[in-house]
Amino acid sequence: MEEKTIQPKKRIFSGIQPTGVFTLGNYIGAVRNWGKLQEDYECIYCIVDLHAITVMQDPAILRANTMRAYALMLACGIDPQKSVAFVQSRNPAHAELSWVLSCSTMFGELNRMTQFKDKSARHADNINAGLFTYPVLMAADILAYNADLVPIGADQKQHLELARNVAIRFNQRFGETFVVPEPYMPETGARLMSLQDPTKKMSKSDENANGCVYILDDKDTILRKFRRAVTDSESEVCYREGKEGINNLMTIYSCVTGKTLDEITTEFAGKGYGDFKTAVGEAVADHLEPVQTAYARLMEDKAYLNACIDTGSEQAFRLTGKLMSKVYRRVGFIDRK
Ligand code: ATP
Ligand code: LTN
């Protein structure tokens, strides 16, 4: 009889900052995929509050936003029975490993990070050391769990590359310790652009709320934002260089309807941008409705959310114990008892 070997499931890790309501970009580029991966992988998902304090936060608002982000994560389809869903600050391994890894990360490497350059330009009054070492903490998040794959949007690819380099360097110096992780990006929608400036990424912390669709926006708001989306002076709905606004809308429409770019071009042949924008807005609003309903229900049950956070955080802590002991031993610290 043929013997079957059962392959252990690959491990996934990803995180999102509790810096406000998730945008359509966060959802399509990352969080929506997290839910889809739960059946085939061992998934660990995290609200990264340690990362959030690299920019100024009001403590009470951060605490409330962490709870909301956790509820949003579940509303987007993460099932705490299937995945480990937790809050970063509740597992001290992230901060501990971050320090160790920072001693295997070069200043020059961090200095090349485009997110640091962007964020330090945007927050010129608070260019703190944490903003600079942010990618080391992200590397620690991923490496602490020996994750194989990391579902992210395109903007995080450079940080993931850094995490890979740090893992390789540590392994060379101290012996095989970390799995070198791979990025996992959607083919379509890895970088949604602002509706007001399609050369800029759609971002939670954009000052121009019209550029950004938040997943809790009501239908009227969503329709209005799409109607006002910046396009071009032509009238043909087709995906082409130089038509960044239309390309972005076509990408969004494709992601929420499953239609290909060719199908979309055919559907809107002979119609104007007005009809197209309304159709995109309608499709997005319909798509987000179940997420909004699930979110409202979850926010009514704080006791349930707190219980899920407690359980998830304990699971996360237990998952990192062995590896942290190994890391400490390898670098030469005396045994943890
Ligand atoms: P902030 O504006 O506070 O920096 P953000 O909107 O960039 O936040 P993050 O919490 O940094 O969001 O990112 C969470 C996930 O969403 C990451 O995997 C990131 O790559 C992805 N993501 C963020 N913006 C987009 C976008 N415009 N298109 C696709 N994916 C995105
Ligand atoms: N840096 C990411 C959020 C993040 C993350 C992670 C993503 C923190 N730790 C680990 C994937 C894996 C961001 O700003 N989007």
Side-chain angles (χ1 to χ4, degrees), residues 89-305:
S89 61
R90 294 281 301 273
N91 181 2
H94 296 250
E96 292 174 350
L97 184 58
S98 181
W99 175 253
V100 174
L101 295 180
S102 71
C103 301
S104 286
T105 309
M106 299 301 125
F107 180 90
E109 283 181 295
L110 291 174
N111 213 22
R112 284 197 292 275
M113 296 292 115
T114 53
Q115 183 175 296
F116 172 70
K117 290 179 197 160
D118 291 350
K119 287 209 173 172
S120 48
R122 263 195 287 148
H123 303 276
D125 55 338
N126 183 24
I127 308 177
N128 62 79
L131 194 62
F132 190 65
T133 56
Y134 177 114
V136 183
L137 179 59
M138 177 163 161
D141 296 341
I142 300 163
L143 303 184
Y145 297 88
N146 268 333
D148 301 284
L149 286 176
V150 184
I152 41 171
D155 63 310
Q156 294 303 311
K157 213 169 154 229
Q158 194 185 32
H159 287 165
L160 193 84
E161 198 53 45
L162 182 112
R164 288 170 55 84
N165 290 338
V166 172
I168 292 167
R169 188 173 303 129
F170 188 98
N171 288 347
Q172 278 168 350
R173 181 154 173 219
F174 297 104
E176 279 309 306
T177 310
F178 297 119
V179 169
V180 180
E182 302 278 346
Y184 182 103
M185 286 194 289
E187 268 173 37
T188 320
R191 187 176 173 82
L192 294 193
M193 309 310 277
S194 159
L195 300 185
Q196 287 299 310
D197 178 356
T199 61
K200 251 181 48 192
K201 152 187 122 112
M202 186 186 283
S203 166
K204 268 196 238 99
S205 45
D206 197 336
E207 325 73 67
N208 189 347
N210 282 327
C212 203
V213 174
Y214 298 100
I215 66 173
L216 297 179
D217 281 347
D218 61 34
K219 188 165 186 171
D220 285 347
T221 308
I222 294 175
L223 287 171
R224 178 171 48 78
K225 287 181 177 174
F226 278 106
R227 266 199 303 268
R228 288 194 191 165
V230 170
T231 49
D232 51 61
S233 54
E234 299 175 8
S235 60
E236 196 192 349
V237 177
C238 70
Y239 198 98
R240 193 175 346 112
E241 215 186 307
K243 290 174 77 78
E244 274 65 34
I246 288 293
N247 294 349
N248 191 38
L249 296 182
M250 286 180 78
T251 302
I252 294 172
Y253 193 61
S254 167
C255 286
V256 295
T257 60
K259 295 176 184 169
T260 65
L261 297 177
D262 284 345
E263 284 166 351
I264 299 169
T265 305
T266 311
E267 183 178 348
F268 292 96
K271 296 186 186 148
Y273 285 175
D275 286 352
F276 177 52
K277 287 177 176 181
T278 304
V280 182
E282 295 270 356
V284 167
D286 289 350
H287 189 84
L288 292 178
E289 197 192 79
V291 175
Q292 298 181 349
T293 309
Y295 174 76
R297 209 176 39 233
L298 283 159
M299 284 304 277
E300 275 170 20
D301 196 350
K302 298 275 166 34
Y304 171 73
L305 289 175

Side-chain angles (χ1 to χ4, degrees), residues 38-79:
Q38 292 178 118
E39 307 301 332
D40 299 325
Y41 296 89
E42 185 185 348
C43 296
I44 305 159
Y45 297 127
C46 181
I47 302 301
V48 292
D49 52 350
L50 300 179
H51 279 95
I53 62 166
T54 54
V55 303
M56 210 68 88
Q57 301 287 343
D58 175 304
I61 296 177
L62 177 62
R63 214 181 326 277
N65 273 345
T66 300
M67 201 67 170
R68 291 164 83 198
Y70 189 87
L72 272 177
M73 171 169 77
L74 301 197
C76 289
I78 284 71
D79 177 350

